Amino acid sequence: MFFIVLVYDKRGRFHTLTPTSLKLGNAKGPKIKSVVKTNAKFSLADSGFDSSVETQMNEKIGSEDELLKTRENERWRERRKKGEKFKGRKNKSNKRKRKKERRKWMEKYLKEQDKNDLEESNLNVNYSEQPLHWKAKLEGLEQRLPGAIIIGSKKCGTRALLKQLSLHSRILTAGREIHFFDRHYNRGLEWYRKQMPLSKPGEITMEKTPGYFITREAPERIYSMMKKFSLETKFIVIVRDPVDRVISDYAQGLAKNEKTKERRKSLEERIFLSSNEKIVDENSYLIRIGLYAKHLKKWLKFFALSQIHFVSGEELINKPWKELEAVQKFLNISVEITKENFWFNKTKKFYCVREKGEAEPNCLGETKGRKHPKIDQETIKVMRNFYSPYNKKFYKMVHRDFGWPEF
Ligand code: A3P
């Protein structure tokens, strides 16, 4: 037996899914928000869907037969508008046959759509231009400006933190980095809003763009957005030993160079003014990002320290649930994400997240938790010496000692 399932996702988009696409969908495709209609009585025993889908389906299946019809009619009208004609038989007297043929044609069309949906989700297409389905509107779903932003820092665990937070029932996260306040500010706030996931009133929309923390203009830009819309946006900064951060960032650069076959500069070439003397270049890209105290000073000109929460990147690796508890408290939401949501992947040596009741844990891809290159001990020592006073200043500013090694 073969099934097609109509679902709509967090953004209110429709998807037609088959057993194969749903399996793929678990990893890359849409996350099922609600099952609108199956094209046959839904029986998992012989459907070919895997068991993790079963739980989602059973919870969310609705009895909304008419929605399938609505959607079919919408598609039908769409194609008619485009001038595409239904090529069925034109015998008006045989209405039942015509209806059957039309349904067959529709099923074929939905299968095609299914393929397109999958391709699109893999390409991370922006769907914000698509009109919102009436059911989504009824539920109060809207794209809202963020209630919280992870503003930094690059290579400190920003993706892991956002993914872990997205487990919370009141948090909706944007899938990719938006880069509005650093790169795309000229596109306007309406563009920014349209990059956000759909949320209901009372839910918290979140995005992460680590570039904001080091962008001089970002605090003022965010401040003016908050003032204009009377928002009380909160900020989260995840920080990690700046020396580890440099190495992680450098490792990412190496991996990119491998793809483009560009010449690999040594770390020393990238961070020292002159490699003979080993004097750290404070303005080099790799070094600058880890000067947390300097960046924070610019944010404190616009925001109170109480509006910014700091997460330890090291703790997020070792005991993520502890950091997550503090973040949930900071966001003023119930502590739903607990130790039970984490599963340690012995191969990756990182925790992966698991939604309660779900069998399969969800780990970050291979671009996170890369193998780091071996770095000369002397270079590490010079970097530690360089960062030491900045780290101490930062601990004082945020009233937390992160305990990063000194020499
Ligand atoms: P490495 O790849 O150098 O180990 P970001 O998402 O900000 O780019 O940060 C990437 C870093 O997140 C990774 O750096 C890794 O150390 C860290 N990280 C924290 N928790 C993780 C997790 N659960 N899975 C994978 N990486 C995690």
Side-chain angles (χ1 to χ4, degrees):
M1 200 181 285
F2 183 72
F3 289 83
I4 296 175
V5 179
L6 295 183
V7 301
Y8 81 95
D9 63 12
K10 283 185 175 182
R11 288 169 184 244
R13 284 175 283 141
F14 268 113
H15 297 269
T16 49
L17 302 174
T18 62
T20 345
S21 67
L22 262 176
K23 269 180 202 157
L24 269 175
N26 271 348
K28 292 177 183 163
K31 192 166 163 54
I32 299 164
K33 175 94 177 173
S34 168
V35 176
V36 173
K37 175 74 177 94
T38 63
N39 72 331
K41 198 171 178 298
F42 197 78
S43 149
L44 274 164
D46 49 7
S47 67
F49 289 99
D50 73 18
S51 59
S52 65
V53 176
E54 182 176 8
T55 337
Q56 288 191 59
M57 292 292 174
N58 286 339
E59 274 173 14
K60 289 161 183 169
I61 268 183
S63 59
E64 299 142 83
D65 275 26
E66 49 316 324
L67 276 172
L68 178 66
K69 276 189 213 149
T70 317
R71 185 175 183 232
E72 281 189 4
N73 288 337
E74 269 170 18
R75 296 281 185 210
W76 180 239
R77 247 179 272 130
E78 226 174 73
R79 296 200 78 161
R80 287 271 290 270
K81 246 195 247 164
K82 282 186 199 158
E84 283 180 49
K85 281 191 181 148
F86 166 61
K87 295 185 186 80
R89 290 190 330 163
K90 285 187 179 159
N91 178 2
K92 275 185 196 159
S93 62
N94 200 345
K95 264 190 183 171
R96 268 180 66 191
K97 245 187 184 170
R98 264 181 68 77
K99 218 172 159 184
K100 206 175 150 191
E101 276 182 4
R102 186 177 143 178
R103 185 163 274 265
K104 255 188 170 175
W105 173 86
M106 197 64 217
E107 272 175 18
K108 207 174 134 202
Y109 174 71
L110 289 179
K111 255 193 208 169
E112 269 172 37
Q113 274 296 116
D114 183 21
K115 266 195 233 156
N116 293 342
D117 281 349
L118 253 189
E119 274 161 24
E120 279 178 5
S121 59
N122 291 344
L123 286 172
N124 211 356
V125 166
N126 175 13
Y127 295 93
S128 57
E129 298 309 321
Q130 292 193 6
L132 202 55
H133 189 266
W134 63 266
K135 192 161 188 274
K137 276 188 198 160
L138 264 183
E139 285 180 5
L141 286 165
E142 248 179 58
Q143 287 171 295
R144 294 177 165 84
L145 289 167
I149 311 176
I150 300 178
I151 53 175
S153 291
K154 191 184 175 203
K155 301 314 295 172
C156 291
T158 52
R159 174 57 63 193
L161 181 63
L162 191 75
K163 192 179 182 109
Q164 291 159 3
L165 281 171
S166 73
L167 291 183
H168 199 284
S169 62
R170 279 189 58 199
I171 294 180
L172 279 306
T173 57
R176 60 195 168 88
E177 292 178 8
I178 314 279
H179 285 286
F180 176 64
F181 297 105
D182 53 353
R183 293 186 202 155
H184 304 304
Y185 194 61
N186 57 353
R187 296 190 181 188
L189 278 162
E190 191 48 19
W191 176 88
Y192 183 50
R193 193 182 62 79
K194 285 197 164 169
Q195 309 312 306
M196 298 301 159
L198 289 166
S199 64
K200 290 180 195 164
E203 291 179 334
I204 302 175
T205 301
M206 277 189 82
E207 74 125 329
K208 75 119 179 159
T209 303
Y212 294 161
F213 193 50
I214 57 160
T215 302
R216 198 179 306 132
E217 300 83 3
E220 189 172 2
R221 287 172 175 176
I222 299 183
Y223 178 79
S224 71
M225 170 190 78
M226 288 167 63
K227 217 171 155 202
K228 189 170 173 190
F229 295 99
S230 308
L231 299 173
E232 284 177 25
T233 310
K234 293 181 170 183
F235 306 104
I236 298 169
V237 185
I238 172 161
V239 285
R240 175 188 196 183
D241 173 4
V243 175
D244 286 345
R245 201 219 67 79
V246 166
I247 299 170
S248 169
D249 210 347
Y250 177 65
Q252 175 166 289
L254 287 185
K256 279 187 186 158
N257 285 358
E258 215 143 81
K259 276 189 190 161
T260 56
K261 303 265 183 273
E262 261 178 58
R263 188 184 89 82
R264 296 179 203 175
K265 274 189 182 176
S266 70
L267 178 63
E268 288 75 9
E269 275 179 280
R270 303 266 317 262
I271 63 168
F272 293 142
L273 285 169
S274 102
S275 44
N276 301 336
E277 290 177 61
K278 294 206 168 184
I279 299 170
V280 173
D281 177 3
E282 184 174 328
N283 294 316
S284 80
Y285 176 75
L286 288 179
I287 293 292
R288 202 169 65 88
I289 299 174
L291 302 172
Y292 307 130
K294 265 193 159 183
H295 304 304
L296 180 60
K297 213 172 144 192
K298 288 177 194 137
W299 285 80
L300 292 181
K301 281 185 188 157
F302 291 89
F303 305 104
L305 190 66
S306 57
Q307 275 171 276
I308 311 173
H309 179 77
F310 298 89
V311 173
S312 153
E314 287 80 13
E315 283 298 299
L316 195 80
I317 293 174
N318 298 328
K319 285 183 185 160
W321 52 90
K322 274 198 159 179
E323 290 298 320
L324 264 287
E325 186 184 336
V327 176
Q328 291 168 90
K329 283 181 180 163
F330 169 70
L331 294 176
N332 232 343
I333 49 179
S334 58
V335 180
E336 278 179 20
I337 311 162
T338 61
K339 201 173 172 182
E340 279 129 61
N341 290 105
F342 293 91
W343 172 81
F344 191 69
N345 183 332
K346 284 181 189 150
T347 330
K348 268 202 96 162
K349 300 205 169 49
F350 282 102
Y351 278 97
C352 305
V353 290
R354 179 161 47 194
E355 282 198 57
K356 277 182 189 148
E358 254 188 28
E360 283 298 305
N362 205 328
C363 304
L364 291 181
E366 48 188 47
T367 58
K368 306 291 172 187
R370 279 195 186 91
K371 222 178 156 206
H372 290 176
K374 257 202 152 198
I375 305 295
D376 178 44
Q377 279 308 309
E378 183 58 25
T379 303
I380 291 184
K381 200 174 154 193
V382 175
M383 280 198 283
R384 291 217 182 288
N385 267 331
F386 168 80
Y387 275 123
S388 176
Y390 291 102
N391 290 347
K392 280 185 187 142
K393 198 169 171 197
F394 180 65
Y395 299 164
K396 258 194 184 168
M397 287 170 92
V398 302
H399 314 299
R400 180 172 176 183
D401 185 339
F402 287 89
W404 297 319
E406 297 225 334
F407 304 107

